[in-house]
Amino acid sequence: MTSNRTIAAAGAICMAMFLLGFMDNFVTVIARDLGLWQFHLMRAVLAVAILLALARMGRAQLTPRRRWAVMLRGGFAGVAMLIYFGCLAFLPIGQVAAGLFTAPIWVMLISALFLGQPVGATRIAAGVIGFIGVLIVLDPFENGLNLFALVPVSAGVFYAIGGIATRQWCDGESALSMLLYFFMSLGVFGLIGVVIMTVWPHAVPPGEAGFILRAAVWPTPLALALTVMQAVGSIVAMGLVFKGYQWGDASQVAIYEYVLLPFAAGWSYVLFGEPISAQMLLGMAMIVISGVIISLRSRGV
């Protein structure tokens, strides 16, 4: 039974990453017509509506025990996703995902510096390996120093803070209540961004280049359909993640989240012909190895 539940947990996490890797590749298509802020606002409204409907049917517990904690955790995770999705319009998804998956390294560093948790030589070495892997994937020195290539790493920083907040402040909170406040934070950020981009007179480049600067526009049928897919798909994927963590040991389950890297890059190649270089594969492998070691050692395995 334990073996079966471990396999089921791995399957749930891998299916979730498969879906996310597929859906996130279409952000570049959405970016041609919508702005980042409107995308998050629309996606959040749809997701919150679905969660509230589930709650009315008695299938979701959305009331948190500590509202302030869940709100802060949602805010940090929301900022991480703003950066992540914003970068998808300008960088290959494999590079953006690599930046996001620096989170275990930042969790280790933040926990050591601010929470006083000991960090052994093994985890330090794993962190160095992971950081080198990130540099290999992002390659910020390919055409001189390109600091923009390192922006996805900041998504990893905020994602790490959100993870620490989950562990430190949100013990006992329902997963769906945290998901609700995560989408609500994205909705608030999206609304603020839409208002600013609407009242601030500025030039907006056409297509994907205007993703971050674009104010509210009437969505095209394609952009609307892809945004609905993102909202529904995100809830399905996160539901699979929550099930995975319920069925398996967290130290094992977390490792499977790294399959998002090859899934995202693979879907990018299948859908849009984005090449996957040997250099990128090497860097991804180093990031995965680093994350696995840090995750296992953090739990005393």
Side-chain angles (χ1 to χ4, degrees):
M1 181 63 71
T2 301
S3 176
N4 289 339
R5 290 180 70 86
T6 300
I7 294 173
I13 297 296
C14 289
M15 179 57 69
M17 298 303 110
F18 181 84
L19 290 174
L20 290 173
F22 172 78
M23 293 186 302
D24 289 354
N25 267 284
F26 288 98
V27 173
T28 55
V29 180
I30 296 172
R32 299 169 190 168
D33 301 309
L34 293 182
L36 173 68
W37 314 101
Q38 184 180 359
F39 164 70
H40 278 302
L41 178 59
M42 292 172 55
R43 180 170 171 260
V45 169
L46 290 167
V48 169
I50 293 171
L51 290 171
L52 292 177
L54 291 174
R56 286 186 63 86
M57 292 187 294
R59 297 180 178 273
Q61 172 58 42
L62 301 180
T63 304
R65 298 179 182 180
R66 294 175 295 277
R67 194 178 303 273
W68 66 268
V70 177
M71 287 178 64
L72 280 176
R73 182 261 174 199
F76 286 124
V79 172
M81 290 300 102
L82 281 174
I83 299 170
Y84 173 77
F85 281 100
C87 290
L88 286 177
F90 306 99
L91 294 171
I93 189 171
Q95 291 184 330
V96 181
L100 183 66
F101 277 103
T102 59
I105 300 173
W106 295 110
V107 168
M108 178 184 68
L109 292 175
I110 294 170
S111 298
L113 293 174
F114 299 103
L115 300 179
Q117 296 182 3
V119 178
T122 301
R123 280 197 286 168
I124 292 174
V128 172
I129 292 172
F131 185 71
I132 294 173
V134 170
L135 291 179
I136 291 174
V137 173
L138 297 180
D139 199 5
F141 308 106
E142 182 179 11
N143 297 309
L145 180 60
N146 180 12
L147 293 179
F148 183 75
L150 296 175
V151 172
V153 175
S154 63
V157 175
F158 283 101
Y159 197 70
I161 296 173
I164 293 172
T166 303
R167 186 188 311 167
Q168 297 290 321
W169 303 334
C170 300
D171 184 41
E173 300 289 354
S174 78
L176 289 180
S177 71
M178 291 190 286
L179 186 60
L180 172 67
Y181 278 81
F182 163 69
F183 276 114
M184 288 175 64
S185 71
L186 279 175
V188 171
F189 292 144
L191 179 60
I192 293 172
V194 165
V195 171
I196 292 174
M197 294 303 159
T198 301
V199 301
W200 170 40
H202 61 284
V204 180
E208 299 167 19
F211 189 44
I212 296 176
L213 295 174
R214 189 171 292 123
V217 297
W218 191 260
T220 63
L222 177 59
L224 179 59
L226 291 176
T227 302
V228 172
M229 179 191 73
Q230 269 279 345
V232 177
S234 295
I235 291 178
V236 172
M238 293 310 299
L240 288 170
V241 170
F242 297 152
K243 279 296 183 183
Y245 277 93
Q246 287 176 340
W247 289 335
D249 180 77
S251 63
Q252 296 177 334
V253 170
I255 294 169
Y256 295 109
E257 292 189 24
Y258 282 90
V259 300
L260 177 61
L261 281 169
F263 278 151
W267 274 120
S268 181
Y269 175 76
V270 170
L271 295 170
F272 304 110
E274 188 72 38
I276 307 172
S277 66
Q279 174 180 322
M280 183 173 289
L281 290 174
L282 173 62
M284 287 182 179
M286 294 175 70
I287 294 168
V288 171
I289 292 170
S290 169
V292 169
I293 294 173
I294 291 173
S295 296
L296 292 177
R297 295 295 294 180
S298 297
R299 294 169 173 83
V301 178

